[in-house]
Amino acid sequence: MAIEVEGYANDIENGLKVETNIMHYYKHVIIAGMGASAIGGAVYRDSMYYQSAVEVDIAKTMALPECADDDTLFVACSYSGNTFETIELYNKAMAAGLDTVVVTYGGELERLAIENNNILLKIGGNKIQPRSAIGWFIGIVGGIIEDAGGPGIRYQLRKMLPWLRASQEHMEADDSYTHWIADEITKECCDIGTRIPVVYGTPDLEAIAVRLKNQLNENSKLIAFSGVMPEFNHNEIVGWYEDSHRSIFLPIILRDYMDKDICKLVDSTVDVMKRKGLSPIVVDIKGDTLLERMVYSIMFGDHLSFYVAVNRNVDPLNVDPITDIKRTIKDRLER
C-alpha cells in the first residue's frame, strides 16, 4: 500500500497520456462508478462547476437520468471491470443508444466494450487495489472531459505535478502534520481505543471528505463518517453540543481557505466547538485553483489513512468484508 500511495502523482501523469479518441463535443457527461472510480469524476463535477460549459454528473444508481440524450457522453468507470452496479448502468446506457466510453483495467466491462465497439481506455501499470487507482481515473477522466468540450484539464494537471510531488515529500516526513493527525486519531480515548473520525469538507470539498472517510474505512479499518460545512451549522452541531458520547468522535475539517466567506463560517463554528470542549482538527487544503486543492487533498487523505493503518498495526490491503458482501449480493441476485 505504501508503494501504491506513493505512486499517485505518477499515475495521474500516466493517465494523462491515454488518448481518448473522442471526436465530438457534448453538453453533458455522465460518469458511472463506485468508490474511487466515482471520486475521479466528482473531482471534475465540483471543480468545473464555475468554469465549464460541459455539465458533469456522477451516477451511482442503476437508472439513467431523464436528461440523458444524444448530447450526452456516458463514461463507465470500474478498475476491476466487474462492479455490478456499473455494469448494470452500462447496459442501460447501451440500450438507450448513448455514446459510451469504458475506463477499466479489465474484467467484464472490457469484454463488453470490445463486443459493443465502445471507446475502451485501459488503465495500465501493475495491478493495484481499485481505490489506489484514483490517480489513473483523475488523469484519464480529465482527458475525456477536455476532449468532450471541457476546459484544458491536461495542462492544469501537468503543471501541478512538480508541486504535488514536492508536497508529498513534506507529507512523508516523520514530523509532518499528516503524521500528527494520524497520531491524534489513534490516541487512546475514553477506554474505547481509537476515536471515530468524522470528516467535514467545505462545499467544494464534500467529495474529498467522502474520499478520506472511505480511505479510513478501507485502509485504516475504522468506522468513519463524513459531512459538509456550513450545512453542519443547521443540524449536526446540535449532536456535537448535546450527545454524551461526543468525546469518542474526532471532527476533522478540510477547509478551503481560498473561499473567504465560507472560511469565516467555518472558523466561527470551530471556535464554538472549542468552547464546548471539543478538539476539532482543521486542515487547510493547499493549491491555487480548486482543481489543485482537490487533487492535493486526495493525496493528503491517502497518506493519512495509511499512517493510521501503520499506527494501528492493521493490513491496509485487506478488504475481505467487501469481497464477502459482493459474494452475498451476487448469490441473492442469481436466485
Side-chain angles (χ1 to χ4, degrees):
M1 182 55 72
I3 293 171
E4 293 181 10
V5 169
E6 290 167 1
Y8 174 64
N10 290 337
D11 291 346
I12 293 175
E13 185 173 31
N14 289 326
L16 289 170
K17 296 175 183 176
V18 176
E19 296 291 337
T20 72
N21 299 310
I22 295 171
M23 303 297 180
H24 179 69
Y25 283 0
Y26 298 85
K27 288 185 178 179
H28 191 198
V29 176
I30 296 176
I31 299 170
M34 305 295 288
S37 304
I39 293 293
V43 165
Y44 298 112
R45 177 198 62 195
D46 296 344
S47 67
M48 290 173 30
Y49 177 81
Y50 306 100
Q51 59 166 322
S52 176
V54 178
E55 181 183 1
V56 178
D57 283 333
I58 308 301
K60 292 191 175 186
T61 66
M62 287 182 282
L64 290 168
E66 193 67 30
C67 63
D69 56 18
D70 292 342
D71 216 359
T72 297
L73 178 65
F74 178 84
V75 184
C77 295
S78 168
Y79 181 80
S80 69
N82 298 316
T83 305
F84 172 77
E85 296 90 343
T86 307
I87 291 173
E88 286 294 299
L89 197 53
Y90 166 89
N91 289 330
K92 288 180 170 62
M94 292 304 300
L98 299 183
D99 289 352
T100 297
V101 176
V102 169
V103 183
T104 187
Y105 190 82
E108 178 67 4
L109 267 179
E110 179 181 15
R111 186 192 69 78
L112 289 169
I114 294 171
E115 179 182 297
N116 293 314
N117 200 31
N118 304 130
I119 293 176
L120 173 61
L121 306 181
K122 290 292 298 290
I123 295 172
N126 296 324
K127 196 167 186 178
I128 56 179
Q129 291 292 315
R131 60 192 179 276
S132 297
I134 183 67
W136 281 96
F137 282 114
I138 288 173
I140 294 175
V141 172
I144 290 171
I145 294 171
E146 178 177 333
D147 292 346
I153 295 170
R154 290 187 182 91
Y155 172 77
Q156 295 179 57
L157 288 174
R158 289 190 177 111
K159 184 181 177 182
M160 73 175 72
L161 285 172
W163 165 76
L164 199 62
R165 291 185 171 110
S167 297
Q168 178 170 317
E169 291 183 11
H170 290 295
M171 292 178 193
E172 293 172 351
D174 290 340
D175 61 349
S176 71
Y177 193 44
T178 322
H179 275 287
W180 180 83
I181 296 174
D183 292 342
E184 287 297 302
I185 292 174
T186 51
K187 186 183 294 182
E188 292 290 320
C189 173
C190 306
D191 299 322
I192 66 160
T194 303
R195 285 188 286 181
I196 300 171
V198 187
V199 186
Y200 293 99
T202 46
D204 290 334
L205 299 177
E206 183 175 2
I208 304 304
V210 173
R211 167 69 179 185
L212 176 50
K213 186 273 297 183
N214 291 349
Q215 292 294 83
L216 290 167
N217 295 151
E218 294 189 64
N219 287 345
S220 313
K221 309 300 182 283
L222 287 177
I223 293 175
F225 303 95
S226 66
V228 63
M229 286 188 171
E231 172 70 20
F232 170 98
N233 296 336
H234 300 272
N235 34 64
E236 292 178 60
I237 187 63
V238 179
W240 286 103
Y241 260 56
E242 304 293 343
D243 195 322
S244 60
H245 299 96
R246 63 185 182 173
S247 61
I248 71 175
F249 296 92
L250 178 64
I252 301 173
I253 301 164
L254 308 179
R255 181 172 59 185
D256 185 348
Y257 68 95
M258 296 295 285
D259 191 330
K260 302 302 182 184
D261 290 335
I262 293 294
C263 260
K264 290 177 183 177
L265 295 175
V266 170
D267 291 345
S268 298
T269 304
V270 169
D271 289 344
V272 169
M273 295 174 78
K274 288 180 177 178
R275 288 202 298 269
K276 297 301 291 185
L278 299 167
S279 302
I281 293 174
V282 178
V283 182
D284 278 328
I285 301 303
K286 299 178 181 179
D288 293 332
T289 68
L290 179 55
L291 180 58
E292 285 185 2
R293 295 193 291 279
M294 296 185 81
V295 171
Y296 168 90
S297 55
I298 289 173
M299 183 174 70
F300 180 92
D302 287 6
H303 279 76
L304 174 60
S305 67
F306 174 71
Y307 298 150
V308 172
V310 171
N311 285 357
R312 301 190 68 223
N313 195 30
V314 298
D315 178 8
L317 288 176
N318 178 36
V319 286
D320 286 345
I322 294 176
T323 303
D324 182 51
I325 197 166
K326 284 183 177 180
R327 186 184 301 114
T328 302
I329 292 171
K330 185 174 184 292
D331 291 344
R332 178 159 297 184
L333 290 171
E334 291 177 348
R335 288 177 187 172

